[in-house]
Amino acid sequence: MQVERQNMREDLSDLALFMVVAELQSFTRAATQLELSQSAVSHGVRRLEASVGIKLLNRTSRRVSTTDAGEKLLAALRPGLGMINARIEELRLLGGAPRGLVRISTSKPALRTLLWPKLSAVVRDYPEIQIELNLESRLTDLAENRFDAGVRLKEFVSPDMIAVPIGPPIRLAAVAAPHYFQQHGAPEHPDDLEQHDCLALRFHAQAPVYDWEFEKAGQVLVKKITGPFIFSESDIAIEAAKAGHGIAFVTEPEVIDGIENGSLRRVLADWCPPFDGYVLCYSGRRNLSSAFRLVIDRLKYVPTLDA
């Protein structure tokens, strides 16, 4: 009986190891997440394969993938282990306040305008929660980089992700310093941008320069722009616009203060309709910790009656 119980514990442990490796497609990342040695994770998966008598994972020097049998086992494990983890998390909540690390990938504009005020309050209210904020403009792979969630504009979120709105609809804004328009005139139509210096954005080295999109009365125009600078961050483009180097095209919340205080002037506003704003996105396959559930609840956008 004691041997049977030992074997059962090993089987459950090995199943959990297999699930993490299969989800992350990496022994290295699985070992890091589980805080185990890579050899311990590898040994557990090999023991499971020996127990069931069939290969569950394909291993190469570059990636790990499930075999057909491994995929079937993974599909069977997800709901069961997910339910167990959820119940354990509920028990933890009964024993005290939410705790643990929450890792979020976000852009600077979203952090400044939406996340920071609320997350600052979270860590004050719950001292045992730690939040890691990774600021990148490029769309990182959340699972590969072990993030709990990412903050994206909704249009950039894949349909297999859960997307929780964390802000209202937003608009884009074309802006420049008033003295730039005094020297060069103000564009009245998106086609006029061909005669202007435009401050381009390329969000990572391998990405194309971001095209500017306009819409009015059902007409959609996509403009390929040129100018003296290409930036990877919108806040630097805004500073260049204030210095008179050209027109920047960024989200409205980033420049509303500059428009109101007169350091920036907006053009083509009637060609910039509102669209779905920022969302917190995460995989539906994740087991959500109490800390992450709290973060989701605090960040969730609730429209007001006058919104």
Side-chain angles (χ1 to χ4, degrees):
M1 182 66 71
Q2 185 175 357
V3 173
E4 290 180 358
R5 286 199 296 269
Q6 175 66 25
N7 290 338
M8 182 179 296
R9 285 196 296 269
E10 287 185 350
D11 287 344
L12 289 172
S13 175
D14 295 344
L15 286 168
L17 291 177
F18 162 74
M19 183 172 175
V20 176
V21 172
E23 294 280 14
L24 297 180
Q25 298 182 337
S26 167
F27 282 91
T28 302
R29 290 195 293 272
T32 301
Q33 178 168 306
L34 296 169
E35 298 183 350
L36 296 172
S37 68
Q38 189 170 338
S39 61
V41 174
S42 180
H43 177 70
V45 173
R46 285 199 304 269
R47 185 169 54 202
L48 177 63
E49 289 178 322
S51 175
V52 299
I54 193 169
K55 187 177 182 181
L56 300 172
L57 294 173
N58 294 313
R59 305 161 175 85
T60 69
S61 60
R62 302 186 66 179
R63 67 189 299 266
V64 174
S65 61
T66 51
T67 63
D68 288 343
E71 189 59 35
K72 290 178 181 177
L73 177 59
L74 182 61
L77 287 174
R78 280 176 181 142
L81 289 181
M83 185 177 297
I84 291 171
N85 284 331
R87 298 295 84 77
I88 290 174
E89 195 60 44
E90 288 177 3
L91 293 174
R92 285 176 179 163
L93 283 174
L94 291 175
R99 66 184 64 189
L101 173 66
V102 178
R103 305 185 71 234
I104 300 175
S105 170
T106 183
S107 64
K108 288 181 182 178
L111 174 63
R112 288 171 176 165
T113 59
L114 295 172
L115 272 67
W116 181 248
K118 295 180 179 179
L119 295 183
S120 177
V122 166
V123 297
R124 287 196 182 100
D125 295 342
Y126 297 88
E128 294 188 67
I129 291 180
Q130 183 182 35
I131 298 176
E132 179 179 343
L133 295 165
N134 183 273
L135 305 181
E136 292 190 5
S137 295
R138 69 189 184 95
L139 303 181
T140 57
D141 185 310
L142 300 179
E144 180 178 348
N145 292 282
R146 298 186 297 112
F147 287 110
D148 294 289
V151 175
R152 308 278 186 265
L153 290 172
K154 189 175 181 181
E155 62 182 285
F156 295 120
V157 177
S158 61
D160 61 328
M161 301 288 283
I162 295 175
V164 178
I166 61 172
I170 61 175
R171 303 170 67 198
L172 291 170
V175 295
H179 65 268
Y180 171 86
F181 291 128
Q182 291 172 2
Q183 294 176 356
H184 302 278
E188 297 180 359
H189 188 278
D191 288 343
D192 297 338
L193 293 171
E194 297 172 8
Q195 311 303 320
H196 285 267
D197 292 329
C198 297
L199 303 170
L201 290 170
R202 189 201 307 273
F203 293 118
H204 64 87
Q206 286 73 44
V209 170
Y210 181 74
D211 293 333
W212 293 8
E213 299 180 18
F214 299 91
E215 182 180 348
K216 182 179 179 180
Q219 181 183 9
V220 177
L221 295 177
V222 179
K223 306 301 297 182
K224 294 187 177 298
I225 49 87
T226 59
F229 288 107
I230 300 175
F231 299 106
S232 62
E233 298 286 350
S234 58
D235 55 350
I236 308 301
I238 294 167
E239 291 304 312
K242 290 180 178 179
H245 289 292
I247 301 173
F249 194 53
V250 296
T251 58
E252 185 180 62
E254 296 178 83
V255 291
I256 192 66
D257 289 344
I259 294 170
E260 291 178 351
N261 66 30
S263 60
L264 292 168
R265 176 185 165 191
R266 185 175 191 171
V267 294
L268 302 175
D270 56 334
W271 280 90
C272 299
F275 57 93
D276 288 334
Y278 287 104
V279 298
L280 185 77
C281 58
Y282 57 93
S283 172
R285 298 177 178 178
R286 290 194 63 87
N287 297 313
L288 307 187
S289 69
S290 57
F292 185 39
R293 289 179 188 275
L294 176 68
V295 167
I296 294 172
D297 185 62
R298 287 291 187 94
L299 291 179
K300 188 179 299 181
Y301 172 66
V302 179
T304 58
L305 293 177
D306 57 352

